[in-house]
Amino acid sequence: RLLVTEPNPADENSVSYVMLQNLDKSEKAHGLIELLGSIVAEPFYDDLRTKQQLGYIVSCGVRGLAGTRTISFIVQSNVASSAVLSVSIFKFLDYVEDNILQKLSEADVSVYVKSLIDRKTEPVKDLATEVIRNWSEISSGRLEFDRIQNEAKALVDIGKHDLLEFWRSLYSRNGRRMIITEIIPREGDASSPLPAPSSGYESGDNLDSGLVLGIDDIPQFRWDTEKLLATPQSLSE
């Protein structure tokens, strides 16, 4: 969890940004997280924006990160603190399985799957889009120029059970990969006590537990995580 003071004193908006990461790089996993995003985006907006009126920016989206996929939930508000926004996001996430996914029929899932396949296989309408797509494969080193087609094929056999299991592994079970970033304004209805630049994080603190970081802790935290990833498994056993 990263707590940051809004650098602009005139900006009275608070922000909560919750990101969940799935490390599975398979086409099926990529398709599942995009399918999940398609299903929960509208209910998320309807709940936090339309019904609760917490903020004028409420969105959910999926993006790539180093070959993996993340799904993010963000709310910006000038009426509620970042802590309130985070609590509201997690209340929504806690009822996703029972109140959204479980209520879907296999036919409902098939409709979402077909819609996603149609979007993925829609012919490119301009050369610039095709160039950007191919260059991203080159620059990342993946060189999977048929990746979108393969992801579309992997979606064909996905059903409700796959979706539920994926959500449980992504959010409900132990070991989930998540970061919460909150921006706290200095003034206004959405303000709250400003966080310290450092939470007291030191090298060697448990990276697997729920850490709270200040803006000044990021360089040390990044260094520690990179060092951990570079350590051979045999040395850590």
Side-chain angles (χ1 to χ4, degrees):
R1 185 178 176 210
L2 175 62
L3 304 179
V4 181
T5 299
E6 168 57 53
N8 181 2
D11 192 334
E12 298 184 355
N13 294 294
S14 64
V15 176
S16 176
Y17 177 86
V18 176
M19 183 180 76
L20 297 166
Q21 183 184 28
N22 177 254
L23 294 180
D24 189 339
K25 298 182 180 181
S26 69
E27 287 88 358
K28 182 177 182 179
H30 289 177
L32 278 165
I33 200 168
E34 290 186 47
L35 183 63
L36 182 65
S38 299
I39 293 170
V40 303
E42 185 175 343
F44 180 64
Y45 181 89
D46 182 59
D47 185 2
L48 276 72
R49 175 67 178 91
T50 306
K51 295 177 180 177
Q52 298 188 50
Q53 298 186 354
L54 288 176
Y56 47 88
I57 293 179
V58 175
S59 67
C60 162
V62 174
R63 71 183 185 93
L65 180 64
T68 69
R69 292 291 186 274
T70 67
I71 184 169
S72 302
F73 301 84
I74 184 169
V75 183
Q76 179 175 308
S77 175
N78 61 0
V79 297
S81 69
S82 61
V84 169
L85 300 181
S86 293
V87 168
S88 297
I89 291 173
F90 280 104
K91 283 183 178 178
F92 174 83
L93 296 178
D94 286 343
Y95 84 50
V96 162
E97 179 172 342
D98 292 338
N99 291 278
I100 299 177
L101 301 183
Q102 289 285 10
K103 291 183 177 181
L104 294 173
S105 66
E106 289 292 350
D108 294 329
V109 174
S110 295
V111 170
Y112 281 107
V113 168
K114 183 180 183 305
S115 176
L116 183 54
I117 291 175
D118 288 345
R119 292 203 305 271
K120 283 183 171 292
T121 56
E122 182 179 4
V124 176
K125 294 182 173 60
D126 60 88
L127 182 60
T129 301
E130 183 72 12
V131 170
I132 292 172
R133 178 185 296 174
N134 290 331
W135 180 250
S136 69
E137 295 295 332
I138 295 172
S139 62
S140 67
R142 293 189 301 262
L143 305 179
E144 298 172 8
F145 300 106
D146 58 349
R147 176 173 53 84
I148 292 179
Q149 290 82 358
N150 291 334
E151 289 177 0
K153 291 178 183 177
L155 281 164
V156 173
D157 297 325
I158 286 177
K160 179 178 177 178
H161 175 75
D162 300 302
L163 194 60
L164 286 168
E165 282 300 305
F166 181 79
W167 174 250
R168 290 163 185 162
S169 66
L170 182 70
Y171 178 72
S172 302
R173 292 177 182 151
N174 292 333
R176 65 186 180 188
R177 294 177 62 86
M178 175 174 63
I179 184 169
I180 309 160
T181 303
E182 295 181 7
I183 298 179
I184 297 94
R186 303 166 190 262
E187 303 289 342
D189 294 337
S191 63
S192 56
L194 299 180
S198 173
S199 67
Y201 170 80
E202 296 180 356
S203 178
D205 285 352
N206 187 358
L207 300 181
D208 294 326
S209 62
L211 289 173
V212 177
L213 302 177
I215 191 69
D216 289 351
D217 299 320
I218 293 177
Q220 183 63 56
F221 177 75
R222 181 180 290 124
W223 169 259
D224 289 342
T225 53
E226 290 176 351
K227 183 169 61 175
L228 180 66
L229 291 173
T231 302
Q233 183 66 27
S234 59
L235 296 180
S236 61
E237 294 178 347

